[in-house]
Amino acid sequence: MRDFAERVQFIQRQDPEVADLLIREQERQELVIRLIASENYVSRAVMEATGSCLTNKYSEGYPGKRYYQGQEFVDKIELLAIERAKALFGAEHVNVQPYSGSPANLAAYYALAEPGDTILGMSLPHGGHLTHGWKVNFSARFYHAVQYPIRPDTCLIDYDEVARLAREHKPKIIVCGASAYPRIIDFTRFAEIAHEVGASLVADIAHIAGLVVAGVHPSPVPVADVVTTTTHKSLRGPRGAIILCRAQYAKSIDTAVFPALQGGPHNHTTAAMAVAFREASTPAFKAYGRAIIENARTLAAELMSYGFTLVTGGTDNHLMLVDLSNKRIPGKPMARALEQAGIICNCNSVPFDTRPPFDPSGIRLGVCAVTTRGFGPDEMRLIARWIHEVAEHHDDPARLASIRAAVRELCLAKPVPDVFV
Ligand code: DSN
């Protein structure tokens, strides 16, 4: 077992209370199986950049056009991050300053539409994100949000219905991309629909950016007007976001991010992005993307062999949605029972769920983090068996404790590689 105390020795001296909590969280991340689809382990290099002196620096503006002096190195770092992201995604223009995914989407809408204009996005309970026009979010308050559904029979995106809604509502923006959709997204089809009705296409690839870079999911960059992504999910960078766009939108995107919506960029995050983009440009990252797909397929097939129902019948990407309606336990208690067994995921609505969002019928599982820690198909088979056992014995604390002990043993036997911890 690693000694995490040396990582926080300065905090330890000054604030033992916080240091103790950090050490315990680090141990938790090491000793549980992390299946939250949006989480990962970043490299120590990314972590070091995130905790660097750049947190001390203010830099409103853009490289060469700042409102504060002292930007000699910050400018170089931001330009490095931009150039690396452009090369990685093949984008004409990149803004690396958005604080996270929701602000990035807000900036995209701000640049492409006026308040009150119509945006057409994927409904949250069908796999979309809050910022794609869901009723409790700014995207439905400031814009006229129309939501497209998935097909009730297949749970796949209903492209014909997207086209019909687009013709009927003439949106200014069509948003594609998802937080809980396990299949390939046809960006070309979305672009055809958008262009037919004169809408801009925004692709939010927060979940799949790493898969796009690794070449295991089609890229929207050649066909979308604007692409947004967080950098901390499958892309394995720091918590933040970037916006990629065609050159013609560069000025309006940059102006939307600063000064319209944000102040000083988080330079420590920008440096960590630059490091992560370099890591993502390597053959090792391509292999990581392929391993994610293999692990997700294996876990999905094994779960189905235990009688679990997977939305769409499987997965093409890093995540799967398990509909527990045919089990004796819904999503929230299942996620809690799994946590007692050392397996961490989130409960999730399934399409056409009859249960409320805070107590839904399903769980969402993703394999980015476990793939980073080096788990492969053998471990996926074990995990599926443990999930099955938890579903069958969720009301037996002794059984959950014995699975937890086995999980701990596996995590100790296959520790997170040094480079990622
Ligand atoms: N909260 C993220 C997720 O878990 O998918 C999306 O922003």
Side-chain angles (χ1 to χ4, degrees):
M1 185 64 200
R2 288 184 180 91
D3 177 14
F4 291 122
E6 39 107 13
R7 307 277 170 83
V8 291
Q9 50 188 295
F10 293 98
I11 308 176
Q12 185 87 59
R13 258 179 250 158
Q14 194 170 312
D15 190 339
E17 212 177 342
V18 168
D20 180 54
L21 292 169
L22 287 174
I23 292 166
R24 286 164 61 186
E25 170 62 12
Q26 185 110 40
E27 283 173 356
R28 187 195 69 81
Q29 291 186 15
E30 174 94 38
L31 294 177
V32 296
I33 292 173
R34 299 175 55 221
L35 296 178
I36 291 180
S38 45
E39 293 185 1
N40 212 326
Y41 297 93
V42 297
S43 72
R44 289 194 71 174
V46 167
M47 202 65 99
E48 206 167 305
T50 306
S52 67
C53 61
L54 293 173
T55 207
N56 299 334
K57 186 75 196 103
Y58 250 118
S59 317
E60 266 107 332
Y62 289 100
K65 287 171 285 179
R66 306 280 192 186
Y67 290 81
Y68 297 76
Q69 295 312 115
Q71 310 295 349
E72 189 182 349
F73 305 111
V74 165
D75 274 5
K76 288 188 171 64
I77 285 167
E78 186 164 337
L79 287 170
L80 255 185
I82 290 169
E83 289 312 314
R84 286 179 182 175
K86 281 167 77 173
L88 203 54
F89 288 94
E92 291 177 8
H93 179 76
V94 177
N95 185 305
V96 296
Q97 294 193 5
Y99 298 144
S100 200
S102 297
N105 285 347
L106 176 55
Y109 304 163
Y110 188 98
L112 298 171
E114 294 299 323
D117 281 346
T118 299
I119 61 170
L120 175 59
M122 190 176 191
S123 148
L124 177 79
H126 288 188
H129 189 253
L130 278 166
T131 55
H132 298 179
W134 189 239
K135 54 196 170 196
V136 297
N137 187 259
F138 77 85
S139 51
R141 180 103 187 261
F142 299 163
Y143 301 94
H144 172 236
V146 178
Q147 301 268 268
Y148 58 83
I150 53 175
R151 288 175 61 108
D153 53 346
T154 58
C155 290
L156 298 174
I157 292 171
D158 188 342
Y159 293 95
D160 292 336
E161 180 63 4
V162 176
R164 191 192 67 73
L165 289 168
R167 287 181 200 121
E168 180 183 336
H169 295 279
K170 300 272 183 298
K172 200 76 186 280
I173 296 172
I174 296 179
V175 191
C176 59
S179 289
Y181 186 70
R183 294 298 183 177
I184 297 282
I185 295 174
D186 187 345
F187 295 120
T188 305
R189 185 79 205 276
F190 270 109
E192 284 164 7
I193 297 168
H195 297 151
E196 181 196 321
V197 301
S200 300
L201 181 65
V202 174
D204 173 352
I205 58 166
H207 265 265
I208 56 168
L211 307 182
V212 167
V213 164
V216 294
H217 190 292
S219 171
V221 173
V223 295
D225 297 293
V226 173
V227 177
T228 65
T229 181
T230 49
T231 46
H232 48 270
K233 298 185 175 89
S234 56
L235 194 51
R236 213 161 60 183
R239 294 193 83 94
I242 58 176
I243 303 177
L244 316 134
C245 66
R246 296 189 197 291
Q248 74 193 88
Y249 300 113
K251 192 165 183 336
S252 41
I253 287 290
D254 285 353
T255 311
V257 174
F258 175 85
L261 298 168
Q262 293 190 175
H266 293 176
N267 298 312
H268 53 303
T269 302
T270 310
M273 282 180 186
V275 174
F277 297 155
R278 183 176 173 153
E279 291 173 0
S281 68
T282 59
F285 195 86
K286 288 203 162 42
Y288 170 60
R290 290 193 295 272
I292 287 175
I293 301 296
E294 187 185 8
N295 277 344
R297 285 195 181 144
T298 306
L299 183 58
E302 290 289 312
L303 287 170
M304 288 190 289
S305 78
Y306 286 112
F308 285 99
T309 303
L310 262 57
V311 173
T312 77
T315 180
D316 296 329
N317 59 25
H318 62 302
L319 68 80
M320 62 212 74
L321 268 179
V322 185
D323 182 348
L324 296 164
S325 307
N326 64 340
K327 300 282 175 186
R328 292 178 300 116
I329 180 168
K332 188 145 197 159
M334 179 66 178
R336 286 186 174 144
L338 283 167
E339 182 167 19
Q340 285 178 56
I343 298 172
I344 310 298
C345 69
N346 63 283
C347 62
N348 215 97
S349 293
V350 296
F352 311 103
D353 209 328
T354 50
R355 300 178 65 89
F358 203 62
D359 185 18
S361 297
I363 53 172
R364 185 185 66 162
L365 307 174
V367 299
C368 293
V370 287
T371 307
T372 293
R373 78 174 291 163
F375 283 9
D378 287 347
E379 287 76 26
M380 296 305 116
R381 284 185 268 277
L382 265 178
I383 292 170
R385 199 185 80 210
W386 286 329
I387 293 174
H388 165 64
E389 286 177 20
V390 169
E392 294 300 306
H393 304 283
H394 57 88
D395 44 10
D396 178 352
R399 187 68 176 256
L400 300 183
S402 94
I403 298 170
R404 171 140 204 157
V407 165
R408 186 184 160 90
E409 210 172 297
L410 173 67
C411 291
L412 286 169
K414 286 205 89 134
V416 181
D418 278 340
V419 68
F420 290 107
V421 75

